Amino acid sequence: MAYLQNSVSAGKRDVMLDVIKSFAIIAVVVGHCIQYGSGIEFFDDSLYFDNFLFKFIYSFHMPLFMLISGYLFAGSIHKGWKVCVRKKFDSLVVPILSWSLLPFVIFLFEHWNEGLTMYNVVGAYVNKVLYSLWFLWAVFWCSIVVLIVYYWCRNSLWIYMLLFVISFFVPDIYHLDLYKYMYPYFIIGFLYREGNYKERFRRIYSSNYFLLVTGILFAVLLLFYGYE
């Protein structure tokens, strides 16, 4: 993180950030290969949660993406909320709407002879839009929340925390459970780069005991990570 911050300050390309993103992408591919490429019974019975490599990857890969997304979003927050909303819509929502057409077309070919109604067709596409590429939706909605708090609530840490608490009382529908899971990581990545929190984060992770304590905690929690 310190390297990334220094690179940004110097106006250079964040090579380490590219490395981290590449690592996260490869982790996602490997995780999905284990999940979907090990046989139908392996997938249907969720046996992939007995695979240590799968559990290890899934314990950090999406939070890592969200940390990076929040960190990068902080670099464009000063362009104004209208510009940010438009760019996020173009870079996230438009790809979701476009790429959702592929599984939608496959669905139509598979069920064309089953007497589909217009309601079935529209419902199928909406379903693909809402549930495909859920991570992009998570980034989009987290970005909208940050824009609101940043411009209208003075980037208040208390507001971010309050919204997180409120999210526990929101029904887990339409992948909202995943959005809520991703939210704190996006906020941490954003606040690390933006606001008066960089020094506070630096004091925490530069501690001699930080890596040791978090490493032990991660290893212990990983033992309890399962399908439930």
Side-chain angles (χ1 to χ4, degrees):
M1 275 296 200
Y3 174 86
L4 298 180
Q5 190 62 46
N6 291 335
S7 296
V8 170
S9 301
K12 301 177 181 178
R13 181 174 180 84
D14 300 330
V15 177
M16 184 58 67
L17 186 59
D18 290 335
V19 172
I20 295 174
K21 288 190 291 185
S22 300
F23 170 73
I25 292 171
I26 293 173
V28 170
V29 174
V30 172
H32 280 297
C33 286
I34 295 173
Q35 185 178 18
Y36 295 102
S38 303
I40 188 64
E41 293 182 358
F42 186 85
F43 177 78
D44 288 343
D45 296 333
S46 301
L47 298 179
Y48 40 85
F49 273 101
D50 294 328
N51 183 289
F52 177 79
L53 179 58
F54 177 87
K55 290 196 295 184
F56 175 73
I57 291 174
Y58 268 63
S59 68
F60 73 84
H61 73 311
M62 297 313 293
L64 178 58
F65 268 118
M66 290 303 287
L67 284 168
I68 296 173
S69 299
Y71 179 86
L72 292 175
F73 185 58
S76 60
I77 193 72
H78 300 287
K79 297 180 180 179
W81 68 270
K82 290 183 179 180
V83 174
C84 289
V85 170
R86 185 176 68 251
K87 285 191 173 183
K88 284 301 177 183
F89 184 87
D90 292 341
S91 63
L92 297 173
V93 178
V94 172
I96 292 173
L97 297 175
S98 302
W99 282 101
S100 295
L101 288 172
L102 180 59
F104 172 67
V105 171
I106 294 175
F107 168 84
L108 292 181
F109 275 109
E110 292 178 343
H111 301 276
W112 188 254
N113 296 323
E114 298 179 10
L116 294 175
T117 65
M118 182 59 66
Y119 176 82
N120 297 137
V121 172
V122 174
Y125 178 65
V126 171
N127 181 271
K128 301 303 180 185
V129 168
L130 293 178
Y131 293 100
S132 299
L133 304 173
W134 66 267
F135 172 71
L136 297 185
W137 278 122
V139 174
F140 178 77
W141 290 118
C142 286
S143 300
I144 297 301
V145 170
V146 167
L147 281 171
I148 293 173
V149 177
Y150 184 86
Y151 280 101
W152 287 281
C153 300
R154 298 183 180 181
N155 204 31
S156 172
L157 178 61
W158 295 107
I159 299 297
Y160 288 124
M161 295 173 64
L162 177 62
L163 292 175
F164 181 61
V165 173
I166 292 175
S167 71
F168 284 93
F169 301 93
V170 177
D172 292 335
I173 57 176
Y174 304 116
H175 273 338
L176 289 180
D177 54 329
L178 296 175
Y179 303 164
K180 292 186 286 185
Y181 170 45
M182 297 291 101
Y183 170 78
Y185 302 103
F186 188 94
I187 299 302
I188 291 173
F190 174 79
L191 291 179
Y192 177 83
R193 185 173 176 182
E194 179 60 39
N196 300 317
Y197 305 101
K198 292 190 288 289
E199 185 60 28
R200 301 180 192 180
F201 282 123
R202 190 195 66 78
R203 286 199 300 266
I204 293 174
Y205 70 70
S206 62
S207 169
N208 294 330
Y209 300 101
F210 177 77
L211 184 60
L212 175 63
V213 173
T214 54
I216 294 175
L217 182 62
F218 175 79
V220 172
L221 291 176
L222 188 60
L223 297 175
F224 297 93
Y225 186 76
Y227 183 77
E228 295 79 13

